Amino acid sequence: MNSETITDIPLLRGPVALSHHFIRRFLHEGDRAVDATCGNGSDTLLLAELVGSSGRVWAFDIQQAAIDRSFQRLTEAGLAERVKLIRAGHETLSGHVTDNISLVVFNLGYLPGGDRSIITNPETTAKALEMSHACLKPGGILAVTIYPGHDGGERERHVVESWSAGLDARAFHVWRMGQLNVPADAPYFILIQKAA
Amino acid sequence: MNSETITDIPLLRGPVALSHHFIRRFLHEGDRAVDATCGNGSDTLLLAELVGSSGRVWAFDIQQAAIDRSFQRLTEAGLAERVKLIRAGHETLSGHVTDNISLVVFNLGYLPGGDRSIITNPETTAKALEMSHACLKPGGILAVTIYPGHDGGERERHVVESWSAGLDARAFHVWRMGQLNVPADAPYFILIQKAA
């Protein structure tokens, strides 16, 4: 039992909790996973725990501060060996990862506690989504948290939703998951699953 | 492995698959659960399996055909003892169930394979939702599948969404989960969790 659960029940307080709920259900020992927006390394750490010693994680970020923080957290947890930290934009994903991926996480927007002028770019995000969905294995998922509230967030939301809505419904199950009793610009979640 | 999963991965093909994903994650042995729209008994059967021999399920339907089919399926599965089948509208819920409920399922619209003129009524649905959310235990959920495509479905959708959007965000986590790459009147899912 921790702050995210009550007994064995996950508390779906917001999109990050929802994303973690799906990550825990869909990622298994031995899997290959990608954190497209490493940030403070919270998601990277969760992926590294879940894939176990036989799995592999690739984590991207353009900011050295994000790579450093994540490396420190992974090292403290004894999980650094499972993770390849890549200081580059996620639009370089296909140069590192090509197939058989179970899960790719995107946490869009800016680095929490960092420079808020450095934000994910809708064009490179679109490229990274395109690359990511192409390397998923059947049943694999993209887990995307969107923050429309920051500068440029509204355009990013539009790019991500348009791209998602254009996916062939026979090949991908595409879900938009937002809260009904929060402000309209609150963060929300998109889950894309490759069909089997 | 069955048609709903690939290895151990659930396939989120539509709102019913998504509803079952959450039901399987949130319902545990010994829990108390309600099927507010018994229908052909598919959800009732799943709830009865998950709550185990120490749990309890209440299932409502206004149509005798639905009660009969469900009773037959439960009996065949050897699970009839765990379930109280109630031939009455779900707006009578609070006369049977009062508190400590882990999960209430609603599958709105008409009985599959039955008389399509007999549909759930927005007013009684609203009453049943009101009663249901009041008897949830902390962390407990309402799992509501909505079919806007049938006659009266659009009004039902409006009633359910308005009611959901009005819930206090500190007391309930309210999620609308719809697919982005399907027609606008496709069925979708609402998940409401009582905060801890």
Side-chain angles (χ1 to χ4, degrees):
Chain A
M1 186 159 157
N2 60 47
S3 64
E4 285 185 6
T5 59
I6 170 172
T7 62
D8 186 35
I9 296 293
L11 294 170
L12 306 177
R13 288 195 182 107
V16 172
L18 190 64
S19 179
H20 284 196
H21 158 75
F22 283 112
I23 290 170
R24 290 182 184 280
R25 179 64 188 85
F26 283 84
L27 202 56
H28 295 79
E29 185 113 8
D31 282 349
R32 294 149 56 89
V34 176
D35 187 346
T37 49
C38 183
N40 286 321
S42 303
D43 289 346
T44 311
L45 194 63
L46 179 61
L47 304 188
E49 282 169 12
L50 293 170
V51 300
S53 54
S54 59
R56 190 91 180 116
V57 176
W58 291 260
F60 295 82
D61 209 293
I62 51 169
Q63 297 188 67
Q64 189 61 44
I67 299 291
D68 291 346
R69 278 186 223 172
S70 301
F71 180 71
Q72 187 184 343
R73 291 181 73 173
L74 290 164
T75 303
E76 283 166 9
L79 301 174
E81 272 189 17
R82 301 176 188 177
V83 182
K84 180 156 187 184
L85 288 164
I86 300 158
R87 189 185 166 187
H90 44 218
E91 71 279 10
T92 68
L93 191 140
S94 63
H96 299 272
V97 180
T98 53
D99 63 355
N100 208 28
I101 297 296
S102 295
L103 188 148
V104 185
V105 188
F106 287 82
N107 215 324
L108 301 175
Y110 52 78
L111 174 65
D115 182 346
R116 292 194 178 199
S117 71
I118 305 176
I119 56 173
T120 48
N121 172 310
E123 280 69 43
T124 53
T125 298
K127 274 190 204 166
L129 288 170
E130 186 67 28
M131 290 171 179
S132 297
H133 95 299
C135 66
L136 287 180
K137 69 178 191 183
I141 64 170
L142 303 188
V144 187
T145 302
I146 298 178
Y147 299 79
H150 71 82
D151 282 354
E154 195 54 48
R155 198 161 75 85
E156 185 162 68
R157 171 219 289 255
H158 179 72
V159 167
V160 175
E161 287 209 20
S162 300
W163 177 82
S164 305
L167 291 171
D168 181 349
R170 289 161 302 186
F172 291 92
H173 312 306
V174 180
W175 293 91
R176 184 195 188 284
M177 303 180 172
Q179 286 164 283
L180 286 174
N181 58 347
V182 299
D185 66 349
Y188 64 99
F189 183 64
I190 288 182
L191 182 80
I192 296 172
Q193 182 178 41
K194 183 168 177 165
Chain B
M1 184 159 161
N2 59 47
S3 64
E4 285 185 8
T5 59
I6 171 173
T7 61
D8 185 34
I9 296 293
L11 294 169
L12 306 177
R13 288 196 182 108
V16 172
L18 190 66
S19 178
H20 285 195
H21 157 76
F22 283 111
I23 290 170
R24 288 181 186 282
R25 180 64 188 86
F26 282 84
L27 202 56
H28 296 78
E29 183 111 10
D31 281 349
R32 293 150 56 91
V34 175
D35 188 347
T37 50
C38 184
N40 286 321
S42 303
D43 288 346
T44 312
L45 194 62
L46 178 62
L47 303 189
E49 282 168 13
L50 293 169
V51 300
S53 55
S54 59
R56 189 91 180 117
V57 176
W58 291 260
F60 294 83
D61 209 292
I62 52 169
Q63 298 188 66
Q64 189 62 42
I67 298 291
D68 291 345
R69 280 186 221 172
S70 301
F71 180 72
Q72 188 185 343
R73 292 181 72 172
L74 290 164
T75 303
E76 283 165 11
L79 301 174
E81 270 191 19
R82 302 176 187 177
V83 181
K84 179 155 189 185
L85 288 164
I86 300 158
R87 190 185 166 188
H90 44 217
E91 72 278 11
T92 68
L93 192 140
S94 63
H96 299 271
V97 180
T98 53
D99 63 355
N100 208 27
I101 297 297
S102 295
L103 188 148
V104 184
V105 189
F106 287 83
N107 215 325
L108 301 176
Y110 52 79
L111 175 65
D115 182 346
R116 292 193 177 200
S117 71
I118 306 176
I119 55 174
T120 48
N121 172 310
E123 279 69 42
T124 53
T125 299
K127 273 189 205 167
L129 288 170
E130 185 67 28
M131 289 171 179
S132 297
H133 95 298
C135 67
L136 287 180
K137 69 179 191 182
I141 63 170
L142 304 188
V144 186
T145 301
I146 297 177
Y147 300 80
H150 71 82
D151 281 353
E154 195 53 48
R155 198 162 75 86
E156 185 162 68
R157 171 218 290 253
H158 179 73
V159 167
V160 175
E161 287 209 20
S162 300
W163 178 81
S164 305
L167 292 171
D168 181 349
R170 290 161 301 185
F172 290 92
H173 313 306
V174 179
W175 294 91
R176 183 194 188 284
M177 304 182 173
Q179 286 165 284
L180 287 174
N181 58 348
V182 299
D185 67 349
Y188 64 99
F189 183 64
I190 289 181
L191 182 79
I192 296 172
Q193 182 178 41
K194 182 167 177 165

